Amino acid sequence: MSDFSVEQIKNLHKRFEQLSGNEETISRENLENIPALANNPIRRQIIGAFFDKRNQHQNEVGSFEEIGFEQFLMVMSHFRPPTLKTTEEERETMRKEKLRFLFNMHDTDNDGTITLEEYRKAVEELLSKSGAIGQEAAKAIADAAMLEVASTNVPHMAPDDFYEGITFEHFEQILKGLEMESRMHIRFLDVDTTTMHCGRSTS
Amino acid sequence: VVAVCNISSQNRTRMGLNTGHGSSIKEVPIVTFKWHHVETPYLIALWILVAGLAKMVIEANHHVTNVIPESALLICFGFILGGMVWGADKVQTFTLTPTVFFFYLLPQIILDAGYFMPNKLFFGNMGAILIYAIIGTCWNAASLGLSLWGCHKGGAMGDLDIGLLQYLLFGSLMAAVDPVAVIAVFEQVHVNEVLFILVFGESLLNDGVTVVLFNVFDAFVSLGGSQIDAVEIIKGIISFFVVAFGGSLLGFVFGLLVSLLTRCTKNIQIIEPGFIFVLGYLAYLTAEMLSLSAILSIVFCGVCCQKYINANMDEKSVSTVRYTMKVLANGSETMIFVFLGISAIDKTIWVWNTGFILLTLLFIMVYRFIGVFFLTWILNRYRLVPIGFIDQVIMSYGGLRGAVAYGLAVMLDENKIKEKNLMISTTLIVVYFTVIFQGITMKPLVTWLKVKRAAVTELTLIEKVQNKVFDHVLVAIEDISGQIGHNYMRDKWNYFEEKWMSWALMKPSVRKSRDHVFSVFHQLNLKDAMSYVAEGERRGSLEFIRNESAFIDFKKKFGDEFSEAMPDIMANMSDDHGAASDRRRDPVPSVSLEMHEQTMKGMRETEDINTHHLLQQHLYKGRKQHRHRYSRSHFDVNKDENEVQEIFQRTMRSRLESFKSAKMGVAPPKTISKYSKKDQQQKMPNGKSLDRSKSYYSGDEDFEFSEGDSASGYDASGSTFPMRVTYRAGAGIENPAFMPDMDPMTPIQIPPWLMEAELDSGMVAPSQRAQVRLPWTPSNLRRLAPFRASAQSNDSFMLADAPATQQRDDEELPPPPSPPPPPSNRDGGYM
């Protein structure tokens, strides 16, 4: 949590005040009103994650109505990039935290498993912006993805078995191959920093 | 596009001499041996064949290629061939000339690289790639040239007539890492993707840079040292940027052109793959003509057009493009390496200067390391995910030089550069050293340093979904934290691309259905289907194929007729179609669930009904496609009347048998029904397969009133059949079961004449009609609808063997449940 530099915290605090309108706390409306978010299909889930007590690592469940700067920072800290000094162990922890964050985003009812219903909903929302892919197809994709998890983790399922949903262990298992180290990071710098990476991405 | 060998230029004179024949013949020759007449193309073809055979021999033994990369082996093979030619001719007849290399061998390799470029990765690391490609190459060129010059002044290489500018020219031609060599080596090593794209991207772009640098220095050399002042140098720098960015822009324009063109090629599908190659080549030549960077031009042409042409073109054309691309690129690559080897066996080019050659080798290595480490150090201060030390070592070590350097060296002007042959020999030595020695040691080094390899992962759907979630989360977090970062920019670009570029460059019909997640889903389903077929064939239980394909024909041709002629049969079949159309309300989950369960359970239940239907469709199609008549522009499906008639008769017989046995309570001959029962019991407790079992029941519920569907179902299946043969790439989906939303689009494209043809051809012999009358009057005749074509039911023939199931259900659930509300969109007829 303290991995943010003073400068970064200052910047984030500035942004926090800007979002909250110089209040102590941020509410959902504050975040929903960010114009850039308007096109994001999973906006609801992401905003939800900010108000999710599980992402505060305090062993609490439920959700906040409003969050203060500390909580805001805590959620943001999931996205800090590793440095060259980060040890292998720390990397592993970071990876786990990130996965947990994603998992919590899908597991809306806090019961430790992503059920088919929850997953379908997530996928539907995710694909809701991609034109012709209807609900049916989204549902199908969710089902197929779910089956993948089931078949990877419970290879010899008896015919009568019922796969309740994706637990965190299974989630971790199935996303083992996912390149996380180079992803899911945000550079927290000055507010108006453009990185070098995107210089020619429009060419 | 033909890879033309270097021989052409040498033989042209002989060809010219030979054309004067014909005037002095004394008698009519029956057969003449006209070697000179065909010499050039014949030799070209022979060399291509030899190179191909060489590759075949080399690839025959994987124990060798595991240790020594193929490129090195090809070069060695070239040595042997060159030795043979030298032994025969006492002169090296065949060498790699710059014209052949730059005009006929290189373009397709670069186009291939551009076309298959992983765009996201490439643009994601664009900053780093550009830094390495531009600054790194300039650094390599300058440092090598200056150091050699310094050593020359220090007296390390004896008496050489090379000035500073010539050294810089030599440095610039040696500076570039060669994409051909790099791909050849790195492809076999499987390093992680970021490392790969850095090396690969750099090697691609710096080829452009090095050609530009070479031209600038070449101009400087021509001017002579005294003429060069600040203005000329500034001009040189400006021309560098103009050439590089102009070339990229030109490629971009050509990419857009190709994309636009493929929007309107649907009537000439046979030749549409050709456009990609021709326009790509034109992009290269145009850039060359305008003295812009041709390599950059063709790279960006490939990079820009890939998405749109893949979407616009027919799926078959896309595969054609992919394969042709690979054939050409791989062939050229083989030729290049073989000829690099052959070129060495030539006494006239070898000039040995130990100091010059060894110092060049040393400096190349050292400065490559210094350059990479220094640039990475700078980059790592800005990079989100820093490039590790080991990756830097591999990057430096992967600085292979190749044919581009050799091609440029041969292009040197002997009048201006006295030591041209020394430079060529040095270049060859460097190429051999890097490709052979570094190529061989690369793999052990990667293993020894424990370089992070590319994870060999299977394509999984959940991963793709999560990737998408990632992207959106990242953008959202950047938005919330108020940063304008990498993700933000990418999101904006994607938005722009979706909204404008796709709008302009993609066919309207395919624009919407292009989603990565969905295409993965589609691919996985296809894979499952294929593995299912493989499994079925292994077990030798593909009997259903024969019967069912025939049955489909029956329905296609005679369905409408029989809805009147044989109400009883039709009634029976209408049940399936009721089931079919009902199931179609939720077909995708059931299919997909089944497919995956199939794999999951180790293919235990081969008789799975859904998979089964799915496959029938594929296999059926395959069978039909075997029989096309010759036509240059069309693949025609067989429509032989007699055959259809015969199929029909056979089918009717088998249908009747199964029908009778089912009605009389005898167990149906097929095992499918047995399975379906088992299936229900099995999957019911399993929450996921609810859709599936529901669809079965709903089929039952529809029992009473689905008469209309039967007719419409048949017609639709019949009329849409030709559409299946032309696989529509745009949709990317051919199986309606996967994509219910696509269905309404299909019938629109059926030409009206085709519909009529279906109707007209439905003539049936009366004896057959009589034959099929059964002493049983169905109660559900009242809904016998007039001929209608349903937009939704064109996949109904997939359920061809469901009647067995249906009847089984009848027996077990005596009173058919009262009809549920019919699916509203089912009968959306269009006639």
Side-chain angles (χ1 to χ4, degrees), chain B residues 342-411:
Chain B
I342 292 176
S343 303
I345 313 297
D346 185 359
K347 248 196 235 163
T348 55
I349 60 162
W350 285 104
V351 179
W352 190 265
N353 182 319
T354 318
F356 187 83
I357 291 170
L358 288 187
L359 279 173
T360 307
L361 267 179
L362 177 76
F363 286 142
I364 280 178
M365 275 300 246
V366 170
Y367 289 125
R368 169 85 186 163
F369 270 91
I370 294 176
V372 167
F373 275 80
F374 179 68
L375 291 176
T376 316
W377 178 73
I378 296 177
L379 277 171
N380 274 351
R381 300 167 56 139
Y382 297 99
R383 269 184 80 87
L384 205 49
V385 184
I387 301 164
F389 175 76
I390 288 170
D391 284 5
Q392 293 176 41
V393 172
I394 296 298
M395 270 193 75
S396 317
Y397 200 69
L400 310 179
R401 307 311 203 263
V404 172
Y406 174 73
L408 290 175
V410 176
M411 266 166 68

Side-chain angles (χ1 to χ4, degrees), chain A residues 15 102 140 148 183 187 193, chain B residues 382 467 470-471 483-484 588:
Chain A
R15 177 68 181 171
L102 285 178
E148 266 171 16
R183 311 194 52 188
R187 185 197 316 278
T193 306
Chain B
Y382 297 99
N467 267 336
F470 269 11
D471 289 345
Q483 325 244 342
I484 300 179
V588 183

